[in-house]
Amino acid sequence: MKAKFCTYIAMILLMVLGVSCSDDFLEDKKQYKYYDAEFFKSEERVNWYVNNLYFDFFDGYKTPTAVVVGSFTTTQTSYTEEIGGISAMINPNITLENAQDGSGYYGKTLVENPANDPYNRIRDCNVMLERIDVDGANLDQTFRDQIKGQMYYLRAIQYFDLMRTFGGVPIITAVQTPSKDDPSIKIPRATVTELVKQITDDLDLAASLLPRKWSATDYGRFTKGAALAQKARVLLTYASPLFNKSWDSSTERWDAALAAGLAAETELTAAGHGLYGNSASDWEKMFYVNDNAFHPEAITVKLLASSSTVAPSLQSNNSWERSIRLASQGGQGSGGVKAPKGMIDLFPMSNGKRPTTANNYDPFLFFKDRDPRFYRTFGFSGSYWSYNNSLPTAAATTVWAYRWSTNAGNGVAFSMGNDVSSPAFIRKMSSPLVSNSANFQVSGTDIMEYRFAELVLNIAECYAAKGEIGNTIAYLAKIRKRVGIAATDNYGIGTLADKYAALEACLYERRVELAYEGKRFWDVQRWMLYSDDASINDATNTKLGIPVINGTQRIGNYLHYKNGTSPSGTDPLAAARASISVNPDAADFQTQINALAAFYTNNFELRSPPTPMDNVSSVATPILWRSNYYIMGLNQSALVGNPWLTQTIGWKDGNGAAGTYNYQE
């Protein structure tokens, strides 16, 4: 099916509250004790163990912009065009190259009281794989197979995120006893090729052991189709320029990634998966209708709780809803997430064409004639955005976020209290059913970590890299047809001259379809799109015709009332805007858009905020990503704990010597 790593609240309650007596499962795990043979003879206890691993891997996954299993940080998203704000990795005033600057994701050595680090999670998988068929030989074979399938999947995705972060890392597939002196556990860093083989072997084993579908009570666990889809994702990454110096001269890796993608598509289709719905309205609904139950679009899904009745420490709710809601929405939103101008200007026109002057795009009236997904991804002043299951007639469901001068331009006030320095703000993956009580905090909207649409786009990209333009267009067309873009001129894609144009079209479509789903950073990384750099075999921007990101800024603008001033407590447009609301599901949507465009033209202008969206000490600052950041160096802690490991090229080891590990070999 399409389930993923979900952590049910019920599972957490079972693990935390239901285990006591002499077999204190969590305490045993905390102390890293070996479990006695009796432990693995019980299906109930084995399930506790597996459920706790799901928890360790995915408890932090509460917003779709988060990436990297175990930690689920959102910082990578902030390195892309999707969200503004200068941080160390893209700050031109900072150079990171020393061991103390390396990523801490690798973790430390195994200790008696281990942290929830990658190799401790891998060790937990290895424990179960070694013990289940020995100590648990009395258990049902199907049960054991399904347990092992989940362990292989979990181990694979952990190694995949280590690979995407560090390149090659030591491959550990057996339980090791922590020791500073045992030479047998001093495993060197594998090559990326060796690591990819390990990951795909694990996923093949997972696919052979996991069911096509689980029962409703086990929905959210990994399936055969999920394992095959994950393999396709891994092989796509391996075929991409970051790890593949021959990406443009050999199709061997692209062939393998394509075969894996098509195999996953066949299996998932047989299991009832596919692109959800056949309209833009369905596209919006698919993000909130998957309430802990089978959803055709979701290949892997993090299930979240919509109840506040469990103890607060055990709740696992979607925090995205709260972060994107405006302050005016019941007085409970956190202020919203402003969209950089580049994202507003990104989406196609309604006919699928790129938003250019030649195609009648007006950056000021940015909401006119746009791709149907635009209105489901962004909100803007005058747009309908529901909560509490309210109807479009409810005045509070139309949001306004403009400002006006209060005394000859020296002060400003904000409509509905919404101080948003962008004419558009993110609304994708929000639910009209969610309650605004408790600051929108209790949202059970599940997160689809891997959607069927991504698999379709993966396949399209493989075809593009192979120069099969017709198949590329056919798969891209599936994405656009689903949301109602007309078939004219290949659904607006046009004629793709060569494989480079086809690859650019695929990466463009990913930016639109998968916006704010935690995927953009990995696409930028594997295609090395910050800038071209011959020293790391990088000329992809030039070849694909994609502008570099380095040197650009995420730009914000206030929507400002241009016709004079008004006292701070008196909204000059309160009466005039009362009849205006834009709802893409309304029968007279186009009439609403035209009315809003006239309202904007008559009343607003764009003004730069006093503090730029991308700034250092309030000074406008362009992005600068340095090439050694694509693959992170091991930090000082990892190198001290594992002194036999070599540092990555582009980074210095603990002694200040240049790293020698080459992730492209």
Side-chain angles (χ1 to χ4, degrees):
M1 79 183 170
K2 67 278 218 64
K4 163 185 176 159
F5 14 79
C6 72
T7 306
Y8 306 107
I9 287 298
M11 288 181 178
I12 301 171
L13 285 170
L14 175 64
M15 293 184 293
V16 179
L17 303 180
V19 187
S20 56
C21 307
S22 60
D23 295 300
D24 191 330
F25 173 69
L26 292 182
E27 187 62 23
D28 275 355
K29 183 178 186 302
K30 177 181 176 183
Q31 295 181 4
Y32 241 122
K33 295 176 181 176
Y34 284 99
Y35 310 102
D36 62 28
E38 291 301 312
F39 183 92
F40 295 94
K41 293 179 180 179
S42 163
E43 285 194 7
E44 183 181 32
R45 292 176 184 171
V46 168
N47 271 327
W48 290 341
Y49 188 106
V50 174
N51 295 345
N52 192 68
L53 257 182
Y54 275 83
F55 182 85
D56 284 349
F57 269 71
F58 306 112
D59 177 55
Y61 190 36
K62 298 175 182 177
T63 171
T65 57
V67 299
V68 185
V69 296
S71 66
F72 284 106
T73 172
T74 61
T75 55
Q76 283 92 338
T77 296
S78 71
Y79 302 151
T80 74
E81 310 94 325
E82 293 188 342
I83 296 175
I86 292 292
S87 55
M89 296 287 287
I90 53 175
N91 187 340
N93 304 310
I94 295 175
T95 299
L96 303 175
E97 61 179 4
N98 297 313
Q100 60 263 35
D101 303 323
S103 170
Y105 183 60
Y106 186 92
K108 304 176 182 178
T109 55
L110 295 178
V111 292
E112 197 61 24
N113 291 296
N116 184 22
D117 287 333
Y119 277 97
N120 288 311
R121 292 189 288 270
I122 289 169
R123 187 181 197 275
D124 284 346
C125 295
N126 292 340
V127 167
M128 180 58 70
L129 289 168
E130 288 188 7
R131 302 292 291 276
I132 186 67
D133 282 336
V134 179
D135 297 330
N138 63 304
L139 300 177
D140 176 75
Q141 182 68 55
T142 298
F143 173 80
R144 284 185 281 139
D145 286 347
Q146 292 175 351
I147 293 295
K148 290 187 292 184
Q150 292 171 85
M151 294 300 99
Y152 285 125
Y153 192 110
L154 287 167
R155 189 168 73 180
I157 60 172
Q158 179 58 87
Y159 272 124
F160 181 47
D161 274 355
L162 284 169
M163 169 189 143
R164 293 196 287 187
T165 304
F166 299 108
V169 295
I171 298 172
I172 312 297
T173 59
V175 178
Q176 296 180 342
T177 301
S179 171
K180 294 181 180 179
D181 304 316
D182 183 358
S184 69
I185 69 170
K186 296 181 179 180
I187 309 298
R189 297 176 71 171
T191 66
V192 169
T193 296
E194 291 168 338
L195 188 56
V196 167
K197 183 179 187 306
Q198 177 62 47
I199 294 168
T200 55
D201 284 350
D202 274 356
L203 291 169
D204 284 339
L205 284 168
S208 71
L209 296 168
L210 290 170
R212 172 168 286 178
K213 285 188 176 182
W214 291 88
S215 65
T217 56
D218 276 324
Y219 176 68
R221 296 183 185 273
F222 309 115
T223 62
K224 177 179 181 178
L228 294 175
Q230 185 65 36
K231 179 181 177 180
R233 181 190 271 173
V234 171
L235 290 175
L236 179 75
T237 301
Y238 183 52
S240 301
L242 180 64
F243 295 117
N244 182 14
K245 291 185 290 187
S246 302
W247 73 270
D248 194 27
S249 59
S250 170
T251 65
E252 180 180 1
R253 293 189 188 179
W254 295 111
D255 291 337
L258 176 60
L262 294 174
E265 181 185 33
T266 298
E267 166 60 24
L268 288 164
T269 301
H273 292 280
L275 295 175
Y276 176 80
N278 54 18
S279 68
S281 181
D282 289 339
W283 187 88
E284 178 179 17
K285 291 175 183 175
M286 76 178 169
F287 292 106
Y288 65 83
V289 298
N290 55 327
D291 187 12
N292 287 206
F294 181 84
H295 189 329
E297 181 91 11
I299 296 174
T300 57
V301 58
K302 167 69 182 292
L303 304 186
L304 292 157
S306 57
S307 171
S308 60
T309 59
V310 297
S313 62
L314 301 178
Q315 290 179 17
S316 189
N317 305 126
N318 188 327
S319 63
W320 175 247
E321 190 84 52
R322 182 183 183 186
S323 70
I324 63 175
R325 288 288 181 169
L326 300 183
S328 66
Q329 296 186 302
Q332 302 295 324
S334 64
V337 177
K338 50 189 176 289
K341 184 179 186 299
M343 288 299 294
I344 299 171
D345 295 340
L346 171 70
F347 280 55
M349 307 301 287
S350 62
N351 61 3
K353 299 290 186 181
R354 301 291 176 96
T356 63
T357 301
N359 289 329
N360 298 316
Y361 177 59
D362 182 345
F364 178 68
L365 301 177
F366 58 87
F367 49 82
K368 289 191 66 177
D369 197 33
R370 302 303 295 276
D371 182 304
R373 292 167 291 185
F374 179 90
Y375 307 104
R376 324 286 176 162
T377 301
F378 302 108
F380 45 88
S381 285
S383 63
Y384 163 68
W385 188 5
S386 179
Y387 57 91
N388 290 344
N389 204 21
S390 54
L391 299 174
T393 54
T397 60
T398 299
V399 293
W400 294 92
Y402 55 84
R403 69 176 193 176
W404 64 90
S405 299
T406 58
N407 49 21
N410 293 325
V412 292
F414 301 92
S415 61
M416 303 177 76
N418 293 321
D419 180 357
V420 183
S421 57
S422 172
F425 29 87
I426 304 160
R427 60 165 292 176
K428 184 180 182 182
M429 296 171 285
S430 65
S431 171
L433 309 177
V434 71
S435 170
N436 71 326
S437 63
N439 298 327
F440 287 105
Q441 190 165 354
V442 183
S443 171
T445 304
D446 300 333
I447 301 173
M448 289 183 283
E449 193 280 336
Y450 200 155
R451 289 201 286 124
F452 197 87
E454 182 189 344
L455 178 63
V456 170
L457 289 166
N458 291 348
I459 293 170
E461 186 176 327
C462 292
Y463 276 128
K466 287 166 55 64
E468 298 186 25
I469 308 300
N471 284 328
T472 302
I473 292 175
Y475 271 81
L476 292 178
K478 295 179 182 183
I479 300 295
R480 293 190 164 199
K481 180 180 180 181
R482 187 256 292 266
V483 296
I485 295 175
T488 306
D489 197 18
N490 290 326
Y491 296 88
I493 299 167
T495 302
L496 303 177
D498 53 30
K499 73 174 183 180
Y500 303 116
L503 284 165
E504 189 277 338
C506 291
L507 291 170
Y508 175 78
E509 199 66 27
R510 293 177 75 92
R511 294 178 67 188
V512 173
E513 176 69 20
L514 303 177
Y516 300 104
E517 296 184 47
K519 304 300 183 286
R520 177 57 178 165
F521 173 76
W522 298 125
D523 288 344
V524 171
Q525 182 214 34
R526 65 191 177 85
W527 278 96
M528 300 185 287
L529 296 178
Y530 284 102
S531 66
D532 286 344
D533 184 346
S535 70
I536 59 169
N537 192 39
D538 174 20
T540 55
N541 291 87
T542 298
K543 286 191 174 184
L544 303 186
I546 295 176
V548 301
I549 298 172
N550 278 353
T552 65
Q553 291 178 244
R554 280 76 57 95
I555 302 296
N557 288 293
Y558 275 112
L559 190 64
H560 190 89
Y561 176 62
K562 68 180 182 179
N563 298 325
T565 64
S566 180
S568 60
T570 305
D571 188 333
L573 295 173
R577 64 174 167 79
S579 62
I580 294 179
S581 182
V582 170
N583 179 4
D585 288 327
D588 61 343
F589 174 58
Q590 192 54 55
T591 299
Q592 294 176 358
I593 285 288
N594 291 337
L596 184 64
F599 188 79
Y600 269 52
T601 300
N602 292 333
N603 293 290
F604 295 132
E605 62 186 4
L606 295 178
R607 291 191 182 179
S608 299
T611 302
M613 186 178 287
D614 283 349
N615 76 89
V616 174
S617 300
S618 299
V619 176
T621 304
I623 292 171
L624 177 60
W625 172 278
R626 303 182 192 277
S627 295
N628 64 306
Y629 301 170
Y630 284 120
I631 292 297
M632 292 298 297
L634 297 172
N635 74 358
Q636 186 78 357
S637 177
L639 291 171
V640 169
N642 309 273
W644 60 89
L645 296 180
T646 55
Q647 181 62 289
T648 307
I649 289 176
W651 294 83
K652 296 178 181 178
D653 66 19
N655 297 316
T660 59
Y661 175 82
N662 187 349
Y663 60 84
Q664 286 195 323
E665 290 183 345

